[in-house]
Amino acid sequence: MTSSQTSLVARDLSVRAGKVMAVQGVSTEFRRSQLTAIIGPNGAGKSTLLRALMGLDAAASGAVHLAGKPLHAWSRRERADRLAYLAQGEALPPTAQVRDVVALGRGAGDWRWGLLPPLSEHQDDTRAVEQAMRRTDVLPFAGRRVEELSGGERQRVSLARALAAEPGFLLLDEPTNHLDLGYAAELIEYLRCEAAGGVGVVAVLHDLTLASQADWLLLLHKGEVLAQGLPEQVLTPDNLHAAYNLRASVLRHSGRLIVVPAVGGR
């Protein structure tokens, strides 16, 4: 397959949020088997871009192409089969069992309206749900209720729910938000494993040191692409100052980059 057949592409994409052009002329390509981190300061347009890639926010101009075809040419069902989205701070039904929540990724009901059926007995659904739970290490507590889980465990359940759809691309909006450092680092490792397995993973991240573990970075500033490329190409003192008005050093330790703000920061 050509790269266009295995990619999610934004072409000169602009998206309006109210009266503001939150994304302006963004052109970039997200590929399967790659973990891409979208970074940038608050208000840079990161979440708006992610929603536009899902078709949740309409483009003011430009376009999104999925597997070489305009996103609008895919039906909603076809998009759902290829793209999975994990929203920021996704709420889960507190009294539901983990297995049933993960089954929602197969299109089984909607818990917000009390429609949370037991796991489908269809062989493909059963296999997909079990594999998703295994890959996120939530299978050991498949029978527990969501309200009994820690914050990190809940986020893994949300990830399993998204993976149960067996998407080509997984889009996550600040998946490490409100997680302590250990859980956040653990979640990045799960995302790296998914990318290694062939999924295109696109995640909005605030922690630059965690983001440096991605294969590719997209740095946004005021809705525009300031830089994109390998972590060492994007996470430079000049780029960090331009985007965040931050003076920082970028160090390498054990093969990984660490962003260290200067004393006084700005």
Side-chain angles (χ1 to χ4, degrees), residues 9 34 54 61 74 77 133 135 154 179 204 223 250:
V9 179
Q34 178 175 280
M54 283 293 302
S61 62
W74 299 94
R77 181 67 262 174
M133 289 192 293
R135 283 152 58 188
R154 292 187 191 195
L179 295 183
V204 170
V250 181

Side-chain angles (χ1 to χ4, degrees), residues 42-208:
N42 292 336
K46 304 182 296 296
S47 296
T48 300
L49 174 59
L50 203 68
R51 289 177 56 83
L53 293 172
M54 283 293 302
L56 300 175
D57 287 351
S61 62
V64 175
H65 284 69
L66 172 62
K69 191 163 76 172
L71 189 63
H72 64 75
W74 299 94
S75 70
R76 178 176 292 186
R77 181 67 262 174
E78 288 173 326
R79 289 186 209 175
D81 287 342
R82 292 162 176 81
L83 302 173
Y85 177 58
L86 183 56
Q88 184 178 159
E90 178 178 278
L92 298 177
T95 60
Q97 289 189 346
V98 167
R99 184 183 297 272
D100 289 336
V101 172
V102 177
L104 291 173
R106 303 297 295 177
D110 190 334
W111 68 267
R112 292 167 298 183
W113 304 104
L115 304 175
L116 203 149
L119 178 61
S120 165
E121 294 182 1
H122 192 283
Q123 185 174 358
D124 287 344
D125 290 337
T126 302
R127 174 193 53 77
V129 169
E130 182 165 323
Q131 284 188 358
M133 289 192 293
R134 286 187 185 279
R135 283 152 58 188
T136 53
D137 292 326
V138 302
L139 191 59
F141 46 86
R144 289 169 60 187
R145 298 193 302 183
V146 168
E147 62 188 1
E148 300 170 352
L149 307 179
S150 69
E153 289 170 338
R154 292 187 191 195
Q155 193 68 327
R156 280 157 51 195
V157 171
S158 291
L159 178 59
R161 188 272 306 159
L163 293 176
E166 299 183 308
F169 284 89
L170 174 63
L171 284 68
L172 310 97
D173 193 359
E174 297 190 31
T176 60
N177 201 23
H178 303 307
L179 295 183
D180 65 32
L181 186 59
Y183 280 128
E186 181 181 71
L187 187 66
I188 294 299
E189 285 303 314
Y190 284 116
L191 298 183
R192 286 171 57 86
C193 287
E194 290 305 315
V199 178
V201 181
V202 183
V204 170
L205 296 174
H206 268 297
D207 188 309
L208 298 179

